[in-house]
Amino acid sequence: LLVECTDCGRPGQPEALPDGLCRPCRAAHSESCQATPGPDEIAAVKAHMANLRGLLKAPESS
């Protein structure tokens, strides 16, 4: 069974693609993700998640 890197599409064994990324993409991703998100980014994610949770709630029946 082969899977593909979610970033570049390189095929490989599932064990070789932890988190769905091949080694070069994983290295590039970890280098670009060293920055800590700012307060505005954190607030935006929290608002987005609250919106998604609201959409998942079942509508109340009358």
Side-chain angles (χ1 to χ4, degrees):
L1 179 68
L2 290 177
V3 294
E4 291 183 349
C5 174
T6 57
D7 196 28
C8 70
R10 178 178 291 161
Q13 297 291 326
E15 306 83 43
L17 301 168
D19 296 328
L21 297 171
C22 65
R23 184 177 295 151
C25 291
R26 202 168 46 251
H29 182 66
S30 66
E31 290 172 6
S32 67
C33 291
Q34 294 296 328
T36 304
D40 293 340
E41 293 172 311
I42 293 171
V45 169
K46 287 183 177 184
H48 181 69
M49 291 306 300
N51 182 42
L52 290 175
R53 286 185 191 101
L55 293 172
L56 288 172
K57 289 183 181 176
E60 295 183 25
S61 55
S62 304

